[in-house]
Amino acid sequence: MWKIPVSSVDVAGLEEEYVVDAIRSTWVSSTGKSVDRFEQEFSEICNTKMTVACANGTTAMHLALLGLKLEPGDEVIVPSMTFIASANAIRYCGAEPVFVDVDPNTWCLDPRAVEAAVTPRTKGIMAVHLMGHPADMDALNRLAAIYGLWVLEDAAEAHFAKYKGRMVGSLGTMGTFSFYGNKIITSGEGGAITLNDPRMESHLKTLRGHGMDPRRRYYFPVTGYNYRLTNVSCAMLCAQLRRRDEIVAQRRKVFAHYQESLRTIPGIRMQPVAPWAEPAPWMFSCLVDPNSYGLSRDELMQGLAAEGIDSRPFFHPLHQLPPYRECAARQKHDLTYTEQLGMNGIMLPTYNTLSSREIESIAATIVRLRARQMRFVA
Ligand SMILES: *Cc1c(COP(=O)(O)O)cnc(C)c1O
């Protein structure tokens, strides 16, 4: 048991009441008022015409890619610095993820690297809004227009983030979200696709529900999937949406407190924020420069763990993981910055109920570990 876990869920508000209502209504499966209400409210918030709720973020991505008719032989450009599900969803369609580097100023897809990776087989770009920071969508949409590609936003970590004042999820061809337990709003497991095309919406809903014809019950014109989300989960999401301003404001306070406390520690570099970005406060992330901090990222994590403080390394770059090593080696793209982030990036405990005292104790531990090491070196 950690004294301070790296993330924690707060469902102590309206969630119980909403979930109990859903249970009492007996609509516990995947139809019901809360599904419709969640889909409508989420679209309103994200400024899209519609939302399709899904079992989780990965099924949302897979379903969106199926809707975009991704097939074997196709390629999709994806950052190597992301959660593995972004690439897995591409592979579920038999297509090939093409791994490119991220921009040091955003930690998201570098548009120049994307352009260099386009081939005649490229069908789309998966714009991951990594660690809550939006990708440079204007640059990516411009490339998409030039080369005839679609852009799918993976906004799993970036709920309610803004790009030039506009909501993520509304900026590409479609957007996908995850409501896993460590995301900003959660239903334990859950996901959603945001979009503006009514024909695509109806196609995705058909695929989501076993491929059943919406006008002819138990007739199946296509091979579908069971990627539905339950009414009970949607009830929890409706409660989380009502509380979203409070949850986001509390997480922003945690971010501000960390920034204030860690700013002056040599060798600790904050997550960059592009001038056009209003990032979502997902996990507080920073980079450890072993030369000036005195300890490596892994040593810092061990030091924190010894004090009962959990933390997380950044994602292993996907091109270094067994399922993708070979295809990335064939692609031969420069992934230098991704590798640096993978080696030096750390996420500190972030959740809306984390107290000021706890943040101060985490920051004090980071200062103390460095001081001890520096004395040792001298
Ligand atoms: C969490 C996450 C997902 C997957 O979401 P699940 O709901 O766990 O399937 C996809 N992409 C990114 C970037 C994520 O962080």
Side-chain angles (χ1 to χ4, degrees):
M1 267 307 271
W2 297 102
K3 241 178 3 197
I4 307 179
V6 75
S7 83
S8 163
V9 169
D10 169 18
V11 285
L14 294 164
E15 289 79 1
E16 185 176 322
E17 180 192 326
Y18 281 33
V19 166
V20 168
D21 279 352
I23 292 170
R24 289 195 178 144
S25 77
T26 77
W27 293 93
V28 296
S29 203
S30 47
T31 44
K33 277 194 202 124
S34 296
V35 179
D36 300 338
R37 189 171 143 201
F38 166 71
E39 289 182 336
Q40 189 184 335
E41 287 180 1
F42 200 66
S43 316
E44 277 163 22
I45 293 164
C46 293
N47 196 28
T48 59
K49 291 208 183 96
M50 57 279 287
T51 292
V52 177
C54 298
N56 55 59
T58 308
T59 56
M61 286 191 288
H62 185 205
L63 205 55
L65 295 173
L66 289 165
L68 293 164
K69 301 208 177 340
L70 190 65
E71 286 176 354
D74 295 342
E75 293 176 355
V76 178
I77 296 170
V78 61
S80 180
M81 176 48 62
T82 179
F83 185 54
I84 195 162
S86 316
N88 286 348
I90 296 165
R91 211 171 238 181
Y92 297 162
C93 298
E96 181 171 325
V98 173
F99 299 103
V100 308
D101 211 355
V102 291
D103 181 338
N105 299 309
T106 62
W107 296 354
C108 295
L109 274 179
D110 177 347
R112 277 160 309 178
V114 171
E115 182 157 27
V118 173
T119 76
R121 298 202 291 155
T122 310
K123 289 288 149 48
I125 301 168
M126 187 168 294
V128 182
H129 303 309
L130 195 79
M131 317 277 188
H133 193 292
D136 187 353
M137 289 302 293
D138 282 351
L140 297 176
N141 282 332
R142 204 174 307 123
L143 291 175
I146 294 171
Y147 296 101
L149 314 174
W150 43 255
V151 180
L152 182 62
E153 299 178 73
D154 178 355
E157 302 173 358
H159 305 176
F160 323 123
K162 287 183 183 164
Y163 173 79
K164 301 185 181 171
R166 290 144 62 209
M167 299 300 289
V168 303
S170 71
L171 306 164
T173 314
M174 288 192 256
T176 62
F177 291 81
S178 163
F179 306 115
Y180 183 65
N182 67 5
K183 311 297 187 190
I184 295 176
I185 67 160
T186 182
S187 47
E189 295 277 4
I193 304 169
T194 48
L195 72 166
N196 289 308
D197 174 353
R199 282 188 46 204
M200 178 67 88
E201 178 199 30
S202 132
H203 182 50
L204 294 180
K205 285 187 169 172
T206 299
L207 289 177
R208 177 181 69 175
H210 298 291
M212 187 159 76
D213 190 327
R215 283 167 306 276
R216 198 169 158 196
R217 285 177 75 205
Y218 297 97
Y219 182 77
F220 302 90
V222 292
T223 310
Y225 299 79
N226 178 359
Y227 282 177
R228 296 170 306 217
L229 188 61
T230 69
N231 195 52
V232 178
S233 297
C234 287
M236 192 186 291
L237 286 175
C238 288
Q240 290 261 289
L241 286 184
R242 288 223 22 207
R243 294 181 57 214
R244 73 184 185 282
D245 289 343
E246 166 204 343
I247 292 171
V248 168
Q250 286 163 335
R251 290 181 88 110
R252 283 201 198 291
K253 242 177 84 184
V254 169
F255 265 58
H257 200 150
Y258 269 130
Q259 273 150 2
E260 190 53 43
S261 320
L262 302 178
R263 201 191 313 277
T264 55
I265 305 178
I268 300 292
R269 255 215 346 266
M270 306 289 137
Q271 179 178 14
V273 179
W276 37 256
E278 200 178 299
W282 184 52
M283 297 296 293
F284 185 83
S285 309
C286 44
L287 298 181
V288 181
D289 173 2
N291 292 325
S292 37
Y293 182 66
L295 296 170
S296 69
R297 186 272 316 271
D298 289 340
E299 289 165 332
L300 169 57
M301 286 182 63
Q302 284 160 19
L304 289 168
E307 302 289 321
I309 301 163
D310 194 14
S311 59
R312 255 182 73 177
F314 278 21
F315 299 117
H316 280 286
L318 298 187
H319 69 278
Q320 295 176 335
L321 291 174
Y324 294 111
R325 239 182 304 202
E326 272 173 50
C327 89
R330 238 184 305 111
Q331 294 162 3
K332 293 198 184 70
H333 291 127
D334 178 16
L335 297 159
T336 310
Y337 200 69
T338 295
E339 288 176 10
Q340 277 182 36
L341 289 179
M343 200 146 54
N344 299 327
I346 182 172
M347 302 183 214
L348 297 175
T350 311
Y351 41 95
N352 59 316
T353 55
L354 187 67
S355 72
S356 293
R357 256 209 7 248
E358 288 168 319
I359 297 168
E360 271 153 34
S361 115
I362 295 165
T365 306
I366 297 173
V367 170
R368 198 168 59 246
L369 287 167
R370 175 172 194 272
R372 198 169 67 195
Q373 177 67 12
M374 289 305 172
R375 232 174 10 253
F376 188 69
V377 171

